[in-house]
Amino acid sequence: MLTPKEVEYWGKKKEDENYAFRAFLKRSADPADLDKRFRNLHEQLFADYDCSKCRNCCSSYHSSFADEELYAAAKELEISKEEFCKQYLEYSDEEQKFESKNVPCDFLGENGQCVLGDCRPVDCKDYPYTKRNDRLGSLFTIIEMTKICPVVYEMMERLKEEYDFLNESQRVIKTEKKTYPNDPCPCGSGKKYKRCCGRN
């Protein structure tokens, strides 16, 4: 397993390979089977991983709160919901949720634990979302997380082995030129890739 300091370097180094693997999965993987593989790896790898020694996610993302989560979080800090929102949060029209104002997260304690404890939002509890369904439709996000979370990086490497993506001839990237989300779609539709064949 990579260390928290190593993962950004190796995630970027493997980016082209990961995009090629995504294209391979989109062509070849059964969605339900891929979800099952992600869940199995999630449970196996996180069982022995101490996230408090990493917290790259807390240092890279805004925490996001649904409205029904605000009262419990405020109560944990012994302040009112109104004070909690004013001091720590701002509303995101795009996400339709409240988000923490700062990165790294204001709720990250010096010991690597969240000061909100069990009252932290579901978006934080569920990160990196690799136990959720439809991982085939979230591969762009997962590739970005390989630069942040050592466990997600390891999952992707193990999935490549499980799917025999890198075969005995050590085929790494002999695929077509990588297509980025904002590039024209290779199918010739005239749309951006993310709006056409790469929309998932």
Side-chain angles (χ1 to χ4, degrees):
M1 184 85 70
L2 294 177
T3 68
K5 291 183 178 180
E6 293 173 330
V7 70
E8 182 179 7
Y9 171 82
W10 283 102
K12 289 179 178 178
K13 190 176 180 67
K14 293 271 190 166
E15 187 175 46
D16 285 348
E17 183 178 297
N18 286 336
Y19 274 107
F21 184 48
R22 175 191 176 275
F24 168 84
L25 291 174
K26 296 291 283 187
R27 291 192 305 267
S28 309
D30 174 74
D33 178 65
L34 180 63
D35 286 343
K36 182 179 179 180
R37 290 172 188 257
F38 264 116
R39 282 193 295 270
N40 289 342
L41 287 169
H42 181 109
E43 292 171 1
Q44 177 185 346
L45 294 171
F46 275 109
D48 298 317
Y49 193 77
D50 184 358
C51 288
S52 69
K53 299 292 197 310
C54 175
R55 293 306 184 200
N56 282 354
C57 54
C58 304
S59 300
S60 304
Y61 298 118
H62 294 274
S63 53
S64 180
F65 292 79
D67 189 64
E68 59 270 18
E69 296 173 319
L70 297 173
Y71 177 77
K75 186 176 180 181
E76 182 70 18
L77 298 184
E78 300 181 340
I79 57 177
S80 69
K81 175 182 170 181
E82 291 71 24
E83 289 175 310
F84 180 73
C85 292
K86 182 178 180 180
Q87 184 171 347
Y88 296 109
L89 308 179
E90 54 191 6
Y91 190 75
S92 169
D93 290 324
E94 181 179 355
E95 297 294 331
Q96 298 290 296
K97 289 182 178 182
F98 285 93
E99 293 184 343
S100 58
K101 292 180 179 179
N102 301 310
V103 175
C105 181
D106 289 318
F107 308 117
L108 178 61
E110 292 183 3
N111 62 353
Q113 300 294 335
C114 179
V115 298
L116 297 178
D118 289 337
C119 296
R120 66 190 184 279
V122 169
D123 272 3
C124 294
K125 291 178 181 178
D126 284 359
Y127 185 86
Y129 320 123
T130 41
K131 289 181 68 176
R132 294 182 179 179
N133 293 330
D134 192 28
R135 295 305 82 198
L136 190 64
S138 301
L139 291 172
F140 278 134
T141 301
I142 290 169
I143 289 171
E144 288 304 306
M145 288 191 292
T146 62
K147 306 169 193 173
I148 294 170
C149 178
V151 178
V152 176
Y153 179 94
E154 183 69 17
M155 283 185 198
M156 287 291 277
E157 294 305 298
R158 294 196 186 190
L159 282 171
K160 290 171 192 175
E161 293 180 3
E162 289 186 15
Y163 281 97
D164 195 29
F165 176 65
L166 307 178
N167 62 26
E168 61 277 358
S169 62
Q170 292 300 299
R171 172 180 58 81
V172 179
I173 306 174
K174 293 184 179 178
T175 59
E176 63 276 5
K177 179 178 178 287
K178 180 174 72 172
T179 304
Y180 290 92
N182 287 320
D183 288 345
C185 190
C187 75
S189 66
K191 298 179 181 179
K192 289 184 178 181
Y193 180 60
K194 66 182 179 183
R195 303 293 185 193
C196 192
C197 296
R199 66 187 306 170
N200 290 327

